[in-house]
């Protein structure tokens, strides 16, 4: 999110962002405000296109307020609508445009979210990509962070997000599909926020005056066979150290192997959950059904794996969450 270089006289992205090898990644999700006036001049769009391949099938831009000078010109480069949904590897994505009816998501854009919530069935995850941090507006839990975000988000005094969008996300979550909402406006800090139903909110946007060690991207590692999607905030200074094969069976985040596995899957009488054995870290395992009802809790896990007995659980799909310094989520199918 927000990769622009802070120089109003020049239309640049940060130099490290400009030089990254994006072919390492299956998808590139852009959080908006690419430069100061992204679509004002054709030369700027050509520059951004040379870096991000805006029209590529694997590049998706959530439009920001600094991308809007010439929307039709911008869309001619992205070759996509202002908002839309798509699916990839059992993940459904919704790319939103928070500039259309700010501070609300309304009209046909809200209809799109409702249609996805109503019809989504086979996906393991739903990921919303958007620019403004709508879920910060009038949210007492996040009021203390407002001075850490851009004015375009900080000055939102209200939004219909929790009244009209959030209930649709709860419908998805109640189907056993984990939901992520990722905002790409400028933030001085990385923001992680989750309400009791575990819908995960994330905000990460770069600041042009910060060094690479303090500017972060969100890197997702997807293990489709394990039904696992992990994420990590990675500083720009370390992004080029990532493996060129992020979809290896064990997965890699921030150059650290993530060995979070659930096996056998499907399971019968018992199954094992294996995760990183990092010294001094203690985890808690929570097993729930698709409605979020807690069925099993195992506390104070300090080994790198834990065996879970089926007990009296009927056959079906269950959700597993490992809670500690990091959170890992997956699913187990019991025959």
């Amino acid at each position: 999110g927000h990769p622009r270089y802070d120089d109003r006289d020049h239309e640049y992205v940060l130099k490290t962002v400009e030089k990254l090898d994006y072919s390492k990644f299956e998808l590139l999700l852009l959080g908006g405000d690419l430069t100061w006036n992204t679509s004002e001049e054709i030369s700027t769009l050509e520059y951004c296109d040379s870096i991000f391949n805006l029209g590529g099938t694997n590049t998706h831009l959530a439009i920001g307020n600094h991308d809007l000078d010439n929307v039709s010109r911008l869309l001619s480069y992205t070759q996509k609508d202002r908002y839309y949904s798509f699916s990839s590897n059992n993940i459904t994505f919704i790319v939103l445009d928070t500039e259309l009816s700010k501070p609300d998501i309304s009209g046909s854009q809200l209809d799109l979210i409702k249609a996805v919530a109503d019809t989504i069935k086979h996906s393991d995850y739903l990921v919303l990509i958007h620019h403004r941090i709508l879920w910060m507006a009038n949210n007492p839990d996040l009021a203390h962070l407002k001075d850490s975000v851009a004015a375009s988000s900080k000055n939102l005094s209200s939004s219909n997000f929790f009244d009209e969008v959030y209930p649709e996300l709860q419908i998805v979550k109640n189907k056993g599909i984990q939901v992520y909402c990722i905002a790409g406006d400028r933030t001085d800090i990385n923001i992680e926020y989750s309400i009791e139903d575990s819908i995960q909110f994330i905000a990460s946007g770069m600041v042009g005056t910060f060094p690479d060690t303090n500017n972060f991207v969100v890197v997702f590692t997807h293990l489709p066979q394990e039904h696992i999607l992990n994420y990590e905030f990675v500083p720009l200074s370390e992004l080029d150290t990532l493996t060129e094969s992020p979809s290896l069976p064990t997965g890699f985040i921030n150059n650290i192997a993530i060995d979070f596995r659930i096996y056998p899957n499907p399971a019968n009488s018992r199954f094992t959950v294996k995760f990183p054995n990092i010294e001094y870290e203690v985890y808690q395992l929570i097993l729930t059904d698709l409605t979020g009802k807690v069925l099993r809790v195992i506390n104070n896990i300090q080994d790198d794996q834990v065996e879970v007995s089926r007990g009296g659980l009927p056959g079906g799909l269950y959700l597993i969450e490992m809670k500690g310094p990091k959170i890992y989520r997956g699913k187990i199918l019991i025959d």
Side-chain angles (χ1 to χ4, degrees), residues 78-113:
T78 65
Q79 300 179 43
K80 302 173 185 73
D81 294 328
R82 292 187 66 163
Y83 57 90
Y84 56 93
S85 64
F86 71 97
S87 294
S88 175
N89 262 341
N90 284 345
I91 302 175
T92 295
F93 295 85
I94 302 179
V95 181
L96 297 176
D97 183 349
T98 55
E99 306 308 309
L100 265 178
S101 54
K102 59 179 185 292
D104 296 331
I105 298 295
S106 60
S108 56
Q109 191 166 205
L110 181 59
D111 290 341
L112 170 64
I113 296 174

Side-chain angles (χ1 to χ4, degrees), residues 1-4 27-35 38-39 52-56 58-68 71 74-75 78-86 93-100 105 109 112 127-135 152-153 180-186 202 204-205:
H2 213 275
R4 74 182 192 208
L27 288 176
L28 175 59
L29 307 172
L30 301 171
D33 284 5
L34 301 183
T35 70
T38 306
S39 61
F52 301 122
N53 187 21
L54 295 175
N58 294 329
T59 301
H60 301 274
L61 169 65
I63 295 174
N65 51 303
H66 284 260
D67 302 322
L68 280 179
V71 175
L74 175 68
L75 298 182
T78 65
Q79 300 179 43
K80 302 173 185 73
D81 294 328
R82 292 187 66 163
Y83 57 90
Y84 56 93
S85 64
F86 71 97
F93 295 85
I94 302 179
V95 181
L96 297 176
D97 183 349
T98 55
E99 306 308 309
L100 265 178
I105 298 295
Q109 191 166 205
L112 170 64
V127 179
L128 272 64
I129 307 295
H130 52 96
H131 179 68
R132 293 181 191 252
I133 314 175
L134 300 178
W135 33 270
S152 53
S153 288
Y180 290 97
C181 296
I182 311 174
D185 204 357
R186 197 215 81 197
I202 303 168
S204 180

Side-chain angles (χ1 to χ4, degrees), residues 11 35 37-50 54 69-70 72-74 76-77:
E11 299 292 334
T35 70
N37 300 286
T38 306
S39 61
E40 184 176 36
E41 301 290 342
I42 290 178
S43 58
T44 305
L45 279 168
E46 289 179 344
Y47 163 73
C48 291
D49 191 38
S50 70
L54 295 175
D69 293 277
N70 191 320
S72 60
R73 181 181 289 162
L74 175 68
S76 72
Y77 275 80

Side-chain angles (χ1 to χ4, degrees), residues 298-322:
I298 303 177
N299 293 308
N300 299 319
I301 301 170
Q302 300 182 55
D303 201 356
D304 64 345
Q305 65 183 38
V306 58
E307 189 174 87
V308 182
S309 173
R310 174 177 185 163
L313 295 175
L317 187 64
Y318 296 88
L319 308 179
I320 292 175
E321 183 173 80
M322 298 295 297

Side-chain angles (χ1 to χ4, degrees), residues 148-330:
S148 300
V149 304
S152 53
S153 288
K154 178 172 65 177
N155 294 336
L156 292 176
S157 59
S158 65
S159 170
N160 72 335
F161 183 87
F162 282 106
D163 290 333
E164 298 193 68
V165 176
Y166 187 73
E168 302 301 322
L169 304 183
Q170 287 179 305
I171 291 173
V172 175
K173 182 63 173 61
N174 289 337
K175 295 181 180 182
I177 299 169
Q178 179 62 40
V179 181
Y180 290 97
C181 296
I182 311 174
D185 204 357
R186 197 215 81 197
T187 56
D188 295 348
I189 59 174
N190 295 320
I191 299 173
E192 297 177 276
Y193 173 63
S194 181
I195 308 177
E196 290 182 359
D197 61 12
S198 76
I199 290 174
Q200 185 69 50
F201 299 93
I202 303 168
S204 180
M206 302 171 201
V207 181
T209 55
F210 283 6
D212 285 352
T213 51
N214 290 1
N215 277 326
F216 291 79
V217 299
V218 182
V219 175
F220 281 87
T221 297
H222 185 210
L223 310 179
Q225 299 303 317
E226 307 286 348
H227 308 285
I228 293 171
L229 184 66
N230 290 328
Y231 75 91
E232 183 85 351
F233 294 105
V234 180
L236 281 177
S237 57
E238 297 181 19
L239 194 57
D240 256 350
T241 68
L242 290 177
T243 174
E244 294 185 7
S245 304
S247 59
L248 288 172
T250 55
F252 282 81
I253 295 179
N254 199 7
N255 212 29
I256 299 174
I258 299 296
D259 192 13
F260 178 55
R261 295 186 292 127
I262 304 170
Y263 62 91
N265 195 357
N268 191 339
S269 60
R270 63 186 67 246
F271 59 90
T272 298
V273 180
K274 181 177 176 61
F275 58 102
N277 183 16
I278 303 174
E279 194 174 6
Y280 305 125
E281 293 189 355
V282 180
Y283 282 85
Q284 175 191 57
L285 181 146
I286 302 173
L287 178 73
T288 70
D289 62 18
L290 298 186
T291 69
K293 180 181 178 182
V294 176
L295 304 173
R296 197 78 54 81
V297 176
I298 303 177
N299 293 308
N300 299 319
I301 301 170
Q302 300 182 55
D303 201 356
D304 64 345
Q305 65 183 38
V306 58
E307 189 174 87
V308 182
S309 173
R310 174 177 185 163
L313 295 175
L317 187 64
Y318 296 88
L319 308 179
I320 292 175
E321 183 173 80
M322 298 295 297
K323 299 183 70 173
K326 293 182 175 66
I327 295 177
Y328 303 96
R329 295 188 177 99

